[in-house]
Coordinates of all heavy atoms in Angstrom, one line a residue:
A3 N -7.3 -8.4 -8.0 CA -7.0 -7.2 -7.3 C -7.7 -7.0 -6.0 O -7.0 -6.7 -5.0 CB -7.3 -6.0 -8.2
G4 N -8.9 -7.4 -5.9 CA -9.7 -7.2 -4.7 C -9.1 -8.1 -3.6 O -9.0 -7.7 -2.4
A5 N -8.8 -9.3 -3.9 CA -8.2 -10.3 -2.9 C -6.8 -9.8 -2.4 O -6.5 -9.9 -1.2 CB -8.1 -11.7 -3.5
I6 N -6.0 -9.2 -3.3 CA -4.7 -8.6 -2.9 C -4.9 -7.4 -1.9 O -4.3 -7.3 -0.9 CB -3.9 -8.2 -4.1 CG1 -3.6 -9.4 -5.0 CG2 -2.7 -7.4 -3.7 CD1 -3.0 -9.0 -6.4
E7 N -5.9 -6.6 -2.3 CA -6.2 -5.4 -1.4 C -6.6 -5.9 0.0 O -6.1 -5.4 1.0 CB -7.2 -4.6 -2.0 CG -6.8 -3.8 -3.2 CD -7.9 -2.9 -3.8 OE1 -9.1 -3.3 -3.7 OE2 -7.5 -1.9 -4.5
E8 N -7.5 -6.9 0.0 CA -8.0 -7.4 1.3 C -6.9 -8.1 2.1 O -6.8 -7.9 3.4 CB -9.1 -8.4 1.1 CG -9.7 -8.9 2.3 CD -10.9 -9.8 2.1 OE1 -11.3 -10.0 0.9 OE2 -11.5 -10.4 3.0
A9 N -6.0 -8.8 1.5 CA -5.0 -9.6 2.2 C -3.9 -8.7 2.7 O -3.4 -8.9 3.8 CB -4.4 -10.6 1.2
E10 N -3.5 -7.7 2.0 CA -2.3 -6.9 2.4 C -2.6 -5.4 2.8 O -1.7 -4.7 3.2 CB -1.3 -6.9 1.2 CG -0.7 -8.2 0.9 CD 0.1 -8.8 2.1 OE1 0.6 -8.1 2.9 OE2 0.1 -10.1 2.2
G11 N -3.9 -5.0 2.7 CA -4.2 -3.7 3.1 C -3.7 -2.6 2.2 O -3.4 -1.5 2.6
V12 N -3.4 -2.9 0.9 CA -2.9 -2.0 0.0 C -4.0 -1.7 -1.1 O -4.9 -2.5 -1.3 CB -1.6 -2.5 -0.7 CG1 -0.5 -2.7 0.3 CG2 -1.9 -3.8 -1.5
R13 N -3.8 -0.6 -1.8 CA -4.7 -0.3 -2.9 C -4.0 -0.7 -4.2 O -2.9 -0.3 -4.5 CB -5.0 1.2 -2.9 CG -5.9 1.7 -4.1 CD -6.1 3.1 -4.1 NE -6.8 3.6 -5.3 CZ -7.2 4.8 -5.6 NH1 -6.9 5.8 -4.7 NH2 -7.8 5.1 -6.7
I14 N -4.8 -1.4 -5.1 CA -4.3 -1.7 -6.4 C -4.8 -0.5 -7.3 O -6.0 -0.4 -7.5 CB -4.9 -3.0 -6.9 CG1 -4.4 -4.2 -6.0 CG2 -4.4 -3.2 -8.4 CD1 -2.9 -4.3 -5.9
D15 N -3.9 0.3 -7.8 CA -4.2 1.5 -8.5 C -4.8 1.2 -9.9 O -5.6 1.9 -10.4 CB -3.0 2.4 -8.7 CG -2.4 2.8 -7.3 OD1 -3.2 3.3 -6.5 OD2 -1.2 2.6 -7.1
R16 N -4.2 0.1 -10.5 CA -4.7 -0.2 -11.9 C -5.0 -1.7 -12.0 O -4.1 -2.5 -11.7 CB -3.6 0.2 -12.9 CG -4.0 -0.1 -14.3 CD -3.0 0.5 -15.3 NE -3.5 0.2 -16.7 CZ -2.7 0.3 -17.8 NH1 -1.5 0.9 -17.7 NH2 -3.2 0.0 -18.9
R17 N -6.2 -2.0 -12.4 CA -6.6 -3.4 -12.5 C -6.7 -3.7 -14.0 O -7.4 -3.0 -14.8 CB -8.0 -3.5 -11.9 CG -8.0 -3.2 -10.4 CD -9.4 -3.3 -9.8 NE -9.4 -3.1 -8.4 CZ -10.1 -3.7 -7.5 NH1 -11.0 -4.6 -7.9 NH2 -10.0 -3.4 -6.2
V18 N -5.8 -4.6 -14.5 CA -5.6 -4.8 -15.9 C -6.3 -6.1 -16.3 O -6.6 -7.0 -15.6 CB -4.1 -4.9 -16.2 CG1 -3.5 -3.6 -16.0 CG2 -3.4 -6.0 -15.4
D19 N -6.7 -6.1 -17.6 CA -7.3 -7.2 -18.3 C -6.5 -7.7 -19.5 O -5.5 -7.0 -19.9 CB -8.7 -6.8 -18.8 CG -9.7 -6.6 -17.7 OD1 -9.9 -7.5 -16.8 OD2 -10.3 -5.5 -17.6
H20 N -6.8 -8.8 -20.0 CA -6.2 -9.4 -21.2 C -6.1 -8.4 -22.3 O -7.2 -7.8 -22.7 CB -6.9 -10.6 -21.6 CG -6.2 -11.3 -22.8 ND1 -5.0 -11.9 -22.7 CD2 -6.7 -11.5 -24.0 CE1 -4.7 -12.4 -23.9 NE2 -5.7 -12.2 -24.7
G21 N -4.9 -8.1 -22.9 CA -4.8 -7.2 -24.0 C -4.4 -5.8 -23.6 O -4.1 -5.0 -24.5
D22 N -4.4 -5.5 -22.3 CA -4.0 -4.2 -21.9 C -2.5 -3.9 -22.1 O -1.7 -4.9 -22.2 CB -4.3 -3.9 -20.4 CG -5.8 -3.7 -20.2 OD1 -6.5 -3.5 -21.2 OD2 -6.2 -3.7 -19.0
L23 N -2.1 -2.7 -22.0 CA -0.7 -2.3 -22.1 C -0.4 -1.5 -20.9 O -1.1 -0.5 -20.5 CB -0.4 -1.4 -23.3 CG 1.0 -0.8 -23.5 CD1 2.0 -1.9 -23.8 CD2 1.0 0.2 -24.6
V24 N 0.7 -1.9 -20.2 CA 1.2 -1.1 -19.0 C 2.5 -0.4 -19.5 O 3.5 -1.1 -19.9 CB 1.5 -2.1 -17.9 CG1 2.1 -1.3 -16.7 CG2 0.3 -2.9 -17.5
Q25 N 2.5 0.9 -19.4 CA 3.6 1.6 -20.1 C 4.1 2.7 -19.1 O 3.4 3.5 -18.5 CB 3.1 2.3 -21.4 CG 4.2 2.8 -22.2 CD 3.8 3.1 -23.6 OE1 2.6 3.1 -23.9 NE2 4.7 3.3 -24.5
Y26 N 5.5 2.8 -19.0 CA 6.2 3.8 -18.3 C 7.3 4.3 -19.2 O 7.4 3.8 -20.3 CB 6.7 3.2 -17.0 CG 5.6 2.6 -16.2 CD1 5.4 1.2 -16.3 CD2 4.8 3.3 -15.4 CE1 4.4 0.6 -15.6 CE2 3.8 2.7 -14.7 CZ 3.6 1.3 -14.8 OH 2.5 0.7 -14.1
D27 N 8.0 5.3 -18.8 CA 9.0 5.9 -19.6 C 10.2 4.9 -19.9 O 11.0 4.7 -19.0 CB 9.6 7.2 -19.0 CG 10.5 8.0 -19.9 OD1 10.7 7.6 -21.0 OD2 11.1 9.0 -19.4
G28 N 10.2 4.3 -21.0 CA 11.2 3.3 -21.4 C 10.8 1.9 -21.2 O 11.6 1.0 -21.6
I29 N 9.7 1.6 -20.6 CA 9.3 0.2 -20.4 C 7.8 0.1 -20.8 O 6.9 0.8 -20.3 CB 9.4 -0.2 -18.9 CG1 10.9 0.0 -18.5 CG2 8.9 -1.6 -18.7 CD1 11.1 -0.3 -17.0
A30 N 7.5 -0.8 -21.7 CA 6.1 -1.1 -22.1 C 5.9 -2.6 -22.0 O 6.7 -3.4 -22.6 CB 5.8 -0.6 -23.5
L31 N 4.9 -3.0 -21.3 CA 4.6 -4.4 -21.1 C 3.1 -4.7 -21.5 O 2.2 -4.1 -21.1 CB 4.8 -4.8 -19.6 CG 6.2 -4.6 -19.1 CD1 6.1 -4.5 -17.6 CD2 7.1 -5.7 -19.5
D32 N 3.0 -5.7 -22.4 CA 1.6 -6.2 -22.7 C 1.1 -7.2 -21.6 O 1.9 -7.9 -21.0 CB 1.7 -6.9 -24.1 CG 2.1 -6.0 -25.2 OD1 1.4 -5.0 -25.3 OD2 3.0 -6.3 -25.9
V33 N -0.2 -7.2 -21.4 CA -0.8 -8.0 -20.4 C -1.5 -9.2 -21.1 O -2.3 -9.0 -22.0 CB -1.8 -7.2 -19.5 CG1 -2.5 -8.1 -18.5 CG2 -1.1 -6.0 -18.9
I34 N -1.2 -10.4 -20.6 CA -1.9 -11.6 -21.0 C -2.5 -12.2 -19.8 O -1.8 -12.5 -18.9 CB -0.9 -12.6 -21.7 CG1 -0.4 -12.0 -23.0 CG2 -1.6 -13.9 -22.0 CD1 0.6 -12.8 -23.8
Q35 N -3.8 -12.4 -19.8 CA -4.5 -13.1 -18.7 C -4.3 -14.6 -19.0 O -4.6 -15.1 -20.0 CB -5.9 -12.7 -18.6 CG -6.6 -13.3 -17.4 CD -8.0 -12.8 -17.2 OE1 -8.7 -12.4 -18.2 NE2 -8.5 -12.8 -16.0
L36 N -3.9 -15.3 -17.9 CA -3.8 -16.8 -17.9 C -4.6 -17.4 -16.8 O -4.1 -17.5 -15.7 CB -2.3 -17.2 -17.8 CG -1.4 -16.6 -18.9 CD1 0.1 -16.9 -18.6 CD2 -1.8 -17.2 -20.3
R37 N -5.9 -17.6 -17.0 CA -6.8 -18.0 -16.0 C -6.6 -19.4 -15.6 O -6.3 -20.3 -16.4 CB -8.2 -17.8 -16.5 CG -8.5 -16.3 -16.9 CD -9.7 -16.3 -17.9 NE -9.4 -17.0 -19.1 CZ -10.2 -17.0 -20.2 NH1 -11.3 -16.4 -20.1 NH2 -9.8 -17.6 -21.3
G38 N -6.8 -19.7 -14.3 CA -6.8 -21.1 -13.8 C -6.0 -21.3 -12.5 O -6.5 -21.9 -11.6
H39 N -4.8 -20.8 -12.5 CA -4.0 -20.9 -11.2 C -4.7 -20.0 -10.2 O -4.9 -20.4 -9.0 CB -2.6 -20.5 -11.4 CG -1.7 -20.5 -10.2 ND1 -1.4 -21.7 -9.6 CD2 -1.1 -19.6 -9.5 CE1 -0.7 -21.5 -8.5 NE2 -0.5 -20.2 -8.4

């Protein structure tokens, strides 16, 4: 998130980790961290 903010001048509102859930009205997405790339 920090590198994205620095590169594009935007704020990352939510920084997610492995196992988190990102949920909106009608859409729920599980977060899986895949480290290495």
Side-chain angles (χ1 to χ4, degrees):
I6 294 168
E7 290 180 332
E8 183 177 353
E10 295 298 332
V12 299
R13 176 181 174 180
I14 299 300
D15 301 308
R16 184 172 178 190
R17 301 178 178 217
V18 292
D19 289 307
H20 182 66
D22 284 349
L23 176 67
V24 179
Q25 191 164 15
Y26 306 94
D27 187 4
I29 301 174
L31 299 161
D32 296 307
V33 177
I34 294 180
Q35 189 174 23
L36 301 172
R37 302 157 295 184
H39 182 66

